[in-house]
Amino acid sequence: MSLKIIVLAKQVPDTRNVGKDAMKADGTVNRAALPAIFNPEDLNALEQALRLKDAYPGTTITLLTMGPGRAAEIIREGLYRGADGGYLLTDRAFAGADTLATSYALSMAVRKINEYDLILCGRQAIDGDTAQVGPQVAEKLGLSQITYVEEILNVENGKVTVKRRLERGVEIVEGNLPIVLTVNGSAPDCRPRNAKFIQKYKHAKTVTEKQTADTDYIELCNLRPYLNLEEWSVADVHADVKACGLSGSPTKVKKIESVSFQAKESKTLTPSDSEIEDLMKELIANHTIG
């Protein structure tokens, strides 16, 4: 048995480097001012897909991402780890999308891809923390969904069995294919890049990226079709422009603030019973604890 898997992945700003220029005046993220990384939980989802590919020969993994031209790097990162191909949704009309507009665009792209057994994505992206895109994609496609997946245990007879990690324990859940799975950060980390895949795909580019390439590179792409990364616009996925980007996003960010916590005072204690006892009495007296 072989599977057709789509992994929804996102290039996100590195939230460890958020500064005063992180937001634009309209409340959208200023992605040009921030370093970009592969969304961590999407990497967890990719690893689950790669494990299925290892277990079921003939399985194919397709990455689907939406973003500016530089988001093509996400597809290359997936190829370096064992994915088979990918599509970049890029169009000015997609800019400024909230989860509703994003899930609509992704669902339209999935419809165009058409053939799939599993759609995997991270539980949430670190630049929004909403955990809404995966479930919304499932709803728009009319598919079943399982969230908080920590491990895919088995796929057979048109069903998938997974382990869910919840706050108070775990669940073993079964669902019918095709299905959408959102994967937790508690799932196994994604495997590192494979040196052979890096050598094979390091020159893979989208149509836009190839516009600045030299003639020799164009000839190389013609000889090796796997170096051509698909790039889709709003028109390519037959999406309604009014439902995409800012025009299709009812969520508006009014203000963002950078908050830092600073200690007003501190105490240094020695590991003696008397000092610890005095501290406990102080904390109880001022109602910090107890």
Side-chain angles (χ1 to χ4, degrees):
M1 179 181 65
S2 61
L3 300 168
K4 294 185 182 298
I5 304 173
I6 297 174
V7 176
L8 307 181
K10 185 179 183 183
Q11 187 182 58
V12 295
D14 188 346
T15 53
R16 296 168 297 182
N17 294 283
V18 174
K20 62 180 181 179
D21 299 325
M23 301 296 293
K24 298 179 183 178
D26 62 2
T28 59
V29 178
N30 184 10
R31 299 184 184 276
L34 297 168
I37 61 173
F38 202 121
N39 184 55
E41 289 189 351
D42 292 340
L43 278 173
N44 296 116
L46 177 58
E47 175 60 24
Q48 290 301 305
L50 292 169
R51 292 188 177 197
L52 290 176
K53 184 177 180 179
D54 293 339
Y56 302 99
T59 292
T60 58
I61 300 172
T62 301
L63 285 159
L64 175 60
T65 187
M66 186 177 86
R70 68 173 182 170
E73 188 61 32
I74 292 298
I75 299 175
R76 284 188 285 272
E77 286 292 333
L79 295 172
Y80 297 159
R81 289 168 168 83
D84 300 282
Y87 299 93
L88 170 63
L89 290 179
T90 184
D91 193 311
R92 288 187 180 275
F94 289 135
D98 68 358
T99 60
L100 192 68
T102 298
S103 61
Y104 169 72
L106 292 173
S107 67
M108 294 303 291
V110 170
R111 291 180 191 277
K112 181 167 182 174
I113 295 172
N114 192 30
E115 295 185 359
Y116 54 88
D117 299 298
L118 290 159
I119 299 174
L120 302 180
C121 63
R123 176 178 59 99
Q124 63 184 26
I126 60 173
D127 62 345
D129 290 345
T130 62
Q132 294 173 350
V133 170
Q136 287 177 351
V137 168
E139 181 69 19
K140 287 178 171 63
L141 293 172
L143 300 178
S144 300
Q145 60 178 289
I146 303 176
T147 56
Y148 299 101
V149 174
E150 186 172 69
E151 183 181 2
I152 299 175
L153 302 175
N154 189 37
V155 181
E156 64 179 0
N157 300 323
K159 297 181 182 293
V160 61
T161 305
V162 306
K163 179 174 75 173
R164 301 180 76 217
R165 172 66 60 178
L166 306 174
E167 289 184 4
R168 298 183 179 179
V170 299
E171 292 180 348
I172 304 300
V173 181
E174 185 179 84
N176 293 321
L177 302 180
I179 194 169
V180 175
L181 306 179
T182 68
V183 181
N184 276 357
S186 60
D189 292 335
C190 192
R191 63 195 64 184
R193 301 169 173 180
N194 181 294
K196 289 183 179 179
F197 293 148
I198 292 175
Q199 292 301 312
K200 180 177 180 180
Y201 292 111
K202 66 182 180 180
H203 295 301
K205 296 184 185 297
T206 62
V207 173
T208 301
E209 290 176 318
K210 285 189 291 186
Q211 290 176 357
T212 57
D214 56 35
T215 305
D216 291 340
Y217 177 78
I218 301 301
E219 292 179 359
L220 180 65
C221 288
N222 292 334
L223 292 172
R224 302 176 183 178
Y226 59 80
L227 294 178
N228 297 295
L229 302 182
E230 292 270 6
E231 193 176 86
W232 286 346
S233 66
V234 169
D236 290 327
V237 296
H238 308 294
D240 181 356
V241 175
K242 294 181 180 179
C244 299
L246 278 175
S247 61
S249 302
T251 306
K252 307 297 180 186
V253 177
K254 184 177 180 181
K255 184 180 180 181
I256 184 169
E257 295 181 2
S258 179
V259 179
S260 59
F261 296 97
Q262 297 179 344
K264 293 182 178 179
E265 58 182 62
S266 62
K267 290 184 178 182
T268 302
L269 304 178
T270 62
S272 65
D273 292 342
S274 60
E275 288 199 28
I276 294 174
E277 184 177 352
D278 290 340
L279 176 63
M280 294 300 295
K281 289 179 180 178
E282 180 183 341
L283 294 175
I284 292 172
N286 62 24
H287 302 292
T288 302
I289 62 174

